[in-house]
Amino acid sequence: MRLMYLFPLNFINYSFLLHAHSHVAMLGWVYLIVYVLIVHFFIPKEKSQKSIYNRLFWLTEFSVIGMMIAFPIQGYALFSIFFSTMHIVLSYVFCRLVWKDSLKDKSPSHQLLLSSVLFMILSTLGVWCLGPAVSTLGKQSAVYQIAIQFFLHFQFNGWFIAAVLALFLKQFQDKINEMKFQRFYFLLIISTILTVSFPIRWYIENDLLSCINGLGVLIQLGAFIYFYKMLQPQWSHFKSTLDKAAKTVYGLALCSLFLKIAIQLLTIIPDLAEVSHQIRNFVIGFIHLTTLGIITGFLFGILLQNKILAAHSKTLKIGTVCFILGYLATEVLLFFQGSLLYFEKGMISGYYHSIFVFSALLVLGLLLIMVSIINKKQESTHS
């Protein structure tokens, strides 16, 4: 996708490729690894060994592969819609299973997990509104755009972030202050619901929506103040159990999380709220901050901490460094270029070449991490 800005490929539809990228990254990488880790950490062993979770996983994988093939060829059309719908239906089955198998546990991490499942289901209401919105009002209508933003908001800020935080808190073996957690939890849920007003405000001129968003981001700040206070007594011991690689990626995730909160606080300023979605660099930078920094950072940290990834592997270490450097460099470029556009200062010299090179670092890092996983599997097979 970055290469097409340097060498336009007329036989590839960029819009179709973008749809494939967003769906496979979100519903392939993030959804499936969250699926696996939820089953690993939250589902009782005797239940997780039942074939239903395994069969459901591979059916979901099949739907992702279908989207990966269909979207670049036809965009939103018959087959891509079929596989997308299939993924949603399968995700409902997964949510039902997780709810049934986790409902009795009242620990903090389980409470967050169950809330994430509810947010996932809630997000799909936006998807079911797309068909009626297109048929009656068209793709350019405010209703259609709001339905998309509703889905994305509760997927990223509800389902995914709540799920990775549930997985993260599970690593503390529930040795956290219950009262502080309950305050964090309550404020997080309220702020997640209120801040959906921010993308809705892009399509509906209403100052009340801005006020609701302002209240939401302030409540979110309060939530993560309690998050910090909740973890602080356990943090020194927790860090002592981690190797250098796990500390690094957890640090990346936490820094990205608090940067996200700071950026959302800036949307209280009307002028910045207005340009936040008008300048594409800001939009992409914020999405990558959430997906690559927060969500992927926490997931890699959990994988490293629990030795699911081979922390001793030199290939993994090089891959992790490449990924982090690529992430940081592309974020700096995206937000810096966005700021230049905001102040009408033009383009960074060699911007598209630079962001292509640093995006390639991300890909290289992920490939090396994948190689380390294959090598670990081969070693375990031969031993």
Side-chain angles (χ1 to χ4, degrees):
M1 289 171 62
R2 299 292 187 198
L3 187 64
M4 289 182 69
Y5 282 94
L6 301 175
F7 305 103
L9 304 173
N10 295 327
F11 60 91
I12 296 177
N13 186 305
Y14 182 84
S15 178
F16 291 177
L17 195 62
L18 180 61
H19 290 321
H21 165 70
S22 58
H23 280 78
V24 174
M26 182 170 65
L27 304 179
W29 157 241
V30 178
Y31 180 93
L32 290 178
I33 190 63
V34 168
Y35 180 115
V36 169
L37 292 178
I38 286 174
V39 173
H40 180 76
F41 286 108
F42 286 100
I43 306 303
K45 191 173 183 181
E46 64 275 9
K47 292 183 179 178
S48 63
Q49 288 176 339
K50 290 180 180 178
S51 60
I52 186 167
Y53 279 104
N54 190 49
R55 289 201 303 269
L56 184 62
F57 175 86
W58 289 112
L59 282 171
T60 307
E61 179 72 52
F62 174 73
S63 71
V64 172
I65 293 171
M67 286 185 276
M68 185 173 65
I69 295 170
F71 272 113
I73 296 172
Q74 61 176 193
Y76 274 103
L78 177 62
F79 290 106
S80 57
I81 291 172
F82 169 78
F83 287 116
S84 301
T85 305
M86 178 181 176
H87 192 287
I88 292 175
V89 173
L90 293 172
S91 70
Y92 287 164
V93 178
F94 177 65
C95 289
R96 176 70 184 93
L97 290 171
V98 170
W99 187 273
K100 183 184 64 169
D101 290 339
S102 304
L103 188 59
K104 292 180 181 179
D105 194 320
K106 303 300 181 183
S107 64
S109 56
H110 276 77
Q111 288 183 55
L112 259 181
L113 174 66
L114 294 178
S115 297
S116 72
V117 164
L118 291 177
F119 276 132
M120 204 288 294
I121 295 170
L122 176 64
S123 72
T124 60
L125 295 180
V127 177
W128 300 126
C129 290
L130 292 177
V134 170
S135 61
T136 57
L137 301 170
K139 285 190 175 182
Q140 303 306 315
S141 68
V143 174
Y144 179 82
Q145 298 299 328
I146 288 170
I148 292 175
Q149 296 304 323
F150 183 92
F151 169 72
L152 294 175
H153 174 82
F154 286 112
Q155 278 278 308
F156 287 116
N157 297 297
W159 156 229
F160 288 140
I161 286 187
V164 297
L165 290 179
L167 289 163
F168 179 58
L169 291 186
K170 189 70 172 177
Q171 310 312 306
F172 289 82
Q173 300 176 337
D174 298 319
K175 295 177 181 177
I176 53 179
N177 185 288
E178 183 74 25
M179 184 183 70
K180 289 175 182 175
F181 169 77
Q182 291 301 334
R183 291 176 180 175
F184 157 70
Y185 174 73
F186 175 75
L187 294 175
L188 178 69
I189 299 302
I190 296 301
S191 66
T192 303
I193 294 170
L194 293 180
T195 50
V196 74
S197 60
F198 180 65
I200 293 175
R201 174 68 175 79
W202 299 346
Y203 306 101
I204 298 176
E205 292 289 336
N206 192 316
D207 291 338
L208 178 60
L209 291 172
S210 299
C211 294
I212 294 172
N213 175 66
L215 178 62
V217 295
L218 290 173
I219 291 174
Q220 179 178 252
L221 176 62
F224 283 98
I225 289 173
Y226 277 111
F227 180 75
Y228 171 77
K229 290 181 177 180
M230 176 182 68
L231 297 183
Q232 190 179 25
Q234 303 293 332
W235 191 248
S236 295
H237 173 71
F238 180 71
K239 280 177 64 178
S240 68
T241 65
L242 305 175
D243 58 28
K244 186 177 179 180
K247 286 179 184 176
T248 301
V249 292
Y250 270 142
L252 177 78
L254 289 166
C255 288
S256 298
L257 177 62
F258 288 109
L259 181 57
K260 173 181 178 289
I261 294 165
I263 290 173
Q264 287 182 280
L265 281 169
L266 292 176
T267 63
I268 294 175
I269 303 170
D271 190 38
L272 293 179
E274 190 63 30
V275 301
S276 63
H277 70 286
Q278 295 175 346
I279 298 177
R280 185 169 175 78
N281 301 72
F282 287 155
V283 175
I284 297 172
F286 188 78
I287 291 172
H288 286 187
L289 177 71
T290 303
T291 54
L292 299 180
I294 302 170
I295 297 171
T296 301
F298 275 117
L299 292 173
F300 276 170
I302 292 163
L303 292 170
L304 287 165
Q305 179 186 353
N306 292 276
K307 313 302 180 187
I308 299 171
L309 290 177
H312 65 277
S313 166
K314 188 175 181 180
T315 305
L316 177 70
K317 291 176 182 177
I318 296 171
T320 303
V321 170
C322 288
F323 177 83
I324 291 173
L325 287 177
Y327 163 69
L328 293 174
T330 52
E331 285 296 282
V332 169
L333 278 171
L334 285 165
F335 280 108
F336 185 57
Q337 180 58 69
S339 300
L340 290 180
L341 293 173
Y342 173 67
F343 291 109
E344 299 181 349
K345 298 295 183 181
M347 296 289 293
I348 298 171
S349 177
Y351 170 74
Y352 290 115
H353 292 83
S354 300
I355 203 161
F356 169 73
V357 169
F358 289 122
S359 296
L361 262 184
L362 282 168
V363 177
L364 175 62
L366 293 171
L367 286 173
L368 289 173
I369 291 169
M370 186 169 67
V371 168
S372 74
I373 294 170
I374 294 170
N375 289 341
K376 181 184 177 183
K377 187 174 181 180
Q378 289 177 341
E379 288 172 8
S380 62
T381 302
H382 295 313
S383 60

